[in-house]
Amino acid sequence: MGLITRYRERLPFAPGDPVVSLEEGSTPLVLAERVSERAGVEVWLKLEGANPTGSFKDRGMTCAVSDAVRNGMEAVICASTGNTAASLAAYAARAGLRGAVIVPEGKIATGKLAQALMHGAKVIALRGNFDEALKLVRELCEHHPIGLVNSVNPFRLEGQKTAAFEVLDELGELDALCIPVGNAGNVTAYNKGFVEMGVRPRLFGFQAEGAAPLVHGAPVANPETVASAIRIGNPARWEEAMEAFTSSRGAVRAVSDTQILDAYRFLAAHEGVFCEPASAASVAGLLTHGVDGAERVVCVLTGHGLKDPQTALSQAGAVVPCEPHIAAVEKAVLG
Ligand SMILES: *Cc1c(COP(=O)(O)O)cnc(C)c1O
């Protein structure tokens, strides 16, 4: 069942309200033995890439688009580094709404672009970065009856907090949660979910070194990192995220692209889990900085590795060419 149905009594939806769902949520939580060994703590991976469009954005989108339908909107729009665009496009298609997405030109991973286009959204490539896109889309929605479904939309956080419920339903308790941070909506949502359930695991957020405004305490004008989903210089949920780190006795820290890519390859090669580079920032952060004495840790893997085949191919081994003869095949396989 979808997450509005599963958690309706903890969400702002009444029985009978329209629900636009692709049966998102209820994603796997798997024990990561190799990562646990390396980190010296018990590590669980929350596989958000298993959502219908391949990222946790579907949790927020089912709520935001259902609310847009409830309010009689005919169109929805967002600024996006990619996954919000893919998710919006799918849920808008499902609801029969028009969808538009504004993405930074040339900066969006191939899989995400393919999804947004296939689902029939209008994809607008802005000659600017994500932060500029968000500013413009907010201005547009002030003047037109279009539903804004960026993480400034409170329904996004409502949907995303359900991941915290799932972790608690399954594990009972945990000491810490490691999570990549871009716009900081997701960490804000997990915090909300944990607070509502009366528990306070320590929240450790990780930003990429070249896009770490929360770590430096100042916006970054030209954010740069291989992890395109967290290439954000001025997070929309800045204050709430900082409050979440402080009040849970956690922290926000930076990891380098090298550390991110190391974790990315390690997860794929030794845990069988293919996530996108931004997602690997949670595990990179755990391996680099530790979790200040926590024993049972959940790392959120926010999106699927297939989203970004280009980065994967640039990081993986080469294929082995082979002539169609048994001797050549023997040599290729066994050599
Ligand atoms: C959106 C996204 C993030 C960042 O989440 P925020 O809520 O913006 O902090 C991280 N990883 C992936 C794969 C994403 O799509």
Side-chain angles (χ1 to χ4, degrees):
M1 78 183 75
L3 62 84
I4 295 181
T5 308
R6 182 170 175 188
Y7 292 112
R8 188 187 295 270
E9 72 279 11
R10 295 184 216 154
L11 293 170
F13 291 94
D17 280 350
V19 171
V20 183
S21 172
L22 287 161
E23 310 249 330
E24 56 295 310
S26 304
T27 55
L29 182 68
V30 300
L31 183 64
E33 291 185 13
R34 306 283 144 52
V35 178
S36 297
E37 247 166 56
R38 259 182 86 176
V41 295
E42 181 187 319
V43 181
W44 295 79
L45 306 173
K46 182 70 170 155
L47 304 187
E48 290 292 279
N51 276 296
T53 77
S55 85
F56 75 86
K57 299 299 197 302
D58 294 342
R59 293 181 184 274
M61 207 52 74
T62 182
C63 290
V65 171
S66 295
D67 179 61
V69 170
R70 182 166 62 183
N71 294 331
M73 295 285 177
E74 285 171 11
V76 284
I77 191 167
C78 71
S80 175
T81 59
N83 279 331
T84 305
S87 186
L88 173 148
Y91 282 80
R94 187 138 179 101
L97 300 180
R98 280 182 296 140
V101 300
I102 302 196
V103 298
E105 187 178 45
K107 297 280 188 179
I108 156 171
T110 315
K112 305 174 189 182
L113 185 60
Q115 287 177 290
L117 291 168
M118 276 302 289
H119 290 305
K122 182 170 273 187
V123 179
I124 297 144
L126 189 77
R127 300 205 174 89
N129 63 28
F130 171 84
D131 302 288
E132 293 168 293
L134 180 56
K135 193 159 159 271
L136 288 165
V137 91
R138 287 174 96 153
E139 201 177 320
L140 184 80
C141 290
E142 280 170 22
H143 303 293
H144 300 277
I146 305 173
L148 178 61
V149 297
N150 270 102
S151 59
V152 296
N153 178 318
F155 286 88
R156 289 277 307 280
L157 297 197
E158 288 296 321
Q160 287 169 208
K161 78 182 180 188
T162 60
F165 300 159
E166 289 176 16
V167 167
L168 291 173
D169 283 349
E170 218 157 316
L171 274 190
E173 53 189 36
L174 69 160
D175 303 315
L177 183 99
C178 294
I179 184 168
V181 175
N183 247 319
N186 210 26
V187 68
T188 303
Y190 271 90
N191 189 52
K192 190 169 197 295
F194 287 132
V195 168
E196 285 181 15
M197 297 305 286
V199 298
R200 297 309 302 276
R202 300 167 82 157
L203 300 177
F204 292 95
F206 298 104
Q207 299 199 291
E209 254 172 25
L214 299 181
V215 178
H216 303 310
V220 174
N222 296 305
E224 259 318 323
T225 167
V226 66
S228 59
I230 53 172
R231 193 184 283 145
I232 288 173
N234 192 8
R237 297 280 180 179
W238 189 303
E239 272 81 29
E240 289 142 294
M242 292 313 292
E243 197 281 325
F245 296 129
T246 309
S247 66
S248 71
R249 299 180 307 120
V252 59
R253 292 169 175 150
V255 282
S256 68
D257 278 6
T258 307
Q259 289 161 342
I260 289 174
L261 292 173
D262 173 63
Y264 171 68
R265 287 188 304 261
F266 187 83
L267 285 165
H270 301 292
E271 295 288 1
V273 174
F274 187 22
C275 64
E276 62 177 287
S279 310
S282 59
V283 171
L286 167 66
L287 294 175
T288 306
H289 298 290
V291 277
D292 300 358
E295 285 174 8
R296 177 184 277 178
V297 181
V298 171
C299 290
V300 182
L301 297 185
T302 45
H304 202 287
L306 288 171
K307 293 274 190 175
D308 189 353
Q310 252 105 18
T311 302
L313 290 173
S314 78
Q315 291 299 312
V319 298
V320 181
C322 185
E323 294 304 320
H325 310 297
I326 188 62
V329 173
E330 259 175 353
K331 189 160 169 258
V333 173
L334 308 173

